Amino acid sequence: MERTGLTHIRAAYVLLHIVLWSICIQSSRQTNLSHGDSTMLVDSYQTGTSSSEVTCLQNRASSKFLRIRGRKEVDAMGEGEPSPENRLILRTINEQGAVTIKGEQSRYYLCVTRKGEVVGRRHWVPNRSNNIICQFRMNQPNHLVFDLEPVQFTAMKVGFKRDGTKRNARNVAPYKRTGQFKKLLSCTTYAANTGSLSGTRSEHDDTSLDLKNNRRS
């Protein structure tokens, strides 16, 4: 009887170790997935697999163009014919379709902070604390419009009021005009890989600068 009891205890001990090991493996996989976006972004730039598009994004609430003019100067008040102030460089940066969005004239990237503030930043590479994200998924409820969702703040959307001023990204409901955009086709041009875009400096040069600054920080 004693031997049978010891056998059961040993079996339970081994089973407990197997369960704990499985939990550790699963936790490790989830951690890797949570940081996967930012890792893939750097890899895609380093291997030259990204592609670019110059376009204008019209917000449906204001009926005007998204502009990124500085750290705090992000709005949807662009008017008139497509101009460098209204034009944006959209760069697809991984196989999941995530993009960075940069003002052609200002060279500032569209970003969202953890608190939901929509801001502009000079460099796109995310900091390690993930307090600010500058990569977005363009979710399309239909083929005409899409919303902009920060890749690691999936409960948030970039949105604007009727007057073109920005909303807090935490307060933008899905499938509402305030957070929906459409491309102006007459403003759109394309460039593949890391070549120069019409009227702009080489994207490869900006990428190298972003990566260098990230290593220093």
Side-chain angles (χ1 to χ4, degrees):
M1 294 293 292
E2 289 185 13
R3 290 182 180 178
T4 302
L6 288 174
T7 301
H8 288 166
I9 291 173
R10 288 174 181 170
Y13 182 76
V14 171
L15 180 61
L16 178 61
H17 272 272
I18 291 173
V19 171
L20 291 175
W21 178 78
S22 299
I23 292 172
C24 289
I25 292 295
Q26 184 65 23
S27 177
S28 176
R29 287 178 178 174
Q30 290 177 348
T31 300
N32 289 336
L33 285 173
S34 68
H35 295 289
D37 280 311
S38 54
T39 301
M40 290 184 68
L41 303 186
V42 176
D43 288 345
S44 65
Y45 270 114
Q46 290 173 338
T47 57
T49 58
S50 55
S51 60
S52 298
E53 169 187 355
V54 177
T55 190
C56 302
L57 299 183
Q58 185 181 50
N59 178 254
R60 293 193 68 204
S62 71
S63 298
K64 297 179 182 178
F65 299 124
L66 170 62
R67 302 185 300 183
I68 311 165
R69 299 188 296 165
R71 288 179 64 87
K72 299 290 186 180
E73 297 176 280
V74 179
D75 60 46
M77 300 181 186
E79 295 184 284
E81 292 297 321
S83 66
E85 187 178 66
N86 296 338
R87 288 199 298 265
L88 306 170
I89 302 172
L90 275 62
R91 193 166 184 85
T92 304
I93 47 183
N94 64 22
E95 294 179 354
Q96 285 68 42
V99 299
T100 58
I101 302 172
K102 179 169 63 173
E104 184 182 58
Q105 184 176 75
S106 69
R107 318 304 294 182
Y108 274 82
Y109 287 90
L110 180 70
C111 302
V112 175
T113 70
R114 184 176 292 279
K115 295 181 178 180
E117 184 182 5
V118 179
V119 297
R121 288 293 184 270
R122 278 291 190 186
H123 310 293
W124 69 265
V125 180
N127 59 34
R128 293 181 181 179
S129 62
N130 291 327
N131 287 325
I132 185 167
I133 295 297
C134 306
Q135 303 86 35
F136 300 87
R137 294 187 182 92
M138 300 172 69
N139 299 319
Q140 290 185 277
N142 59 59
H143 68 285
L144 295 176
V145 299
F146 55 87
D147 60 34
L148 298 174
E149 176 186 279
V151 295
Q152 291 175 331
F153 302 151
T154 55
M156 300 186 192
K157 311 285 182 187
V158 175
F160 298 89
K161 303 175 185 177
R162 287 186 178 182
D163 63 1
T165 57
K166 55 192 176 184
R167 289 184 178 274
N168 187 288
R170 294 182 297 183
N171 301 328
V172 178
Y175 312 119
K176 298 295 184 181
R177 297 172 68 90
T178 182
Q180 290 182 333
F181 300 85
K182 58 183 179 179
K183 293 180 183 178
L184 182 66
L185 295 180
S186 62
C187 181
T188 302
T189 58
Y190 296 89
N193 295 321
T194 55
S196 298
L197 297 171
S198 175
T200 68
R201 189 173 61 217
S202 169
E203 285 291 296
H204 181 66
D205 295 338
D206 285 347
T207 300
S208 300
L209 179 61
D210 291 339
L211 293 174
K212 287 179 182 176
N213 283 320
N214 188 54
R215 292 192 189 102
R216 290 173 185 168
S217 59

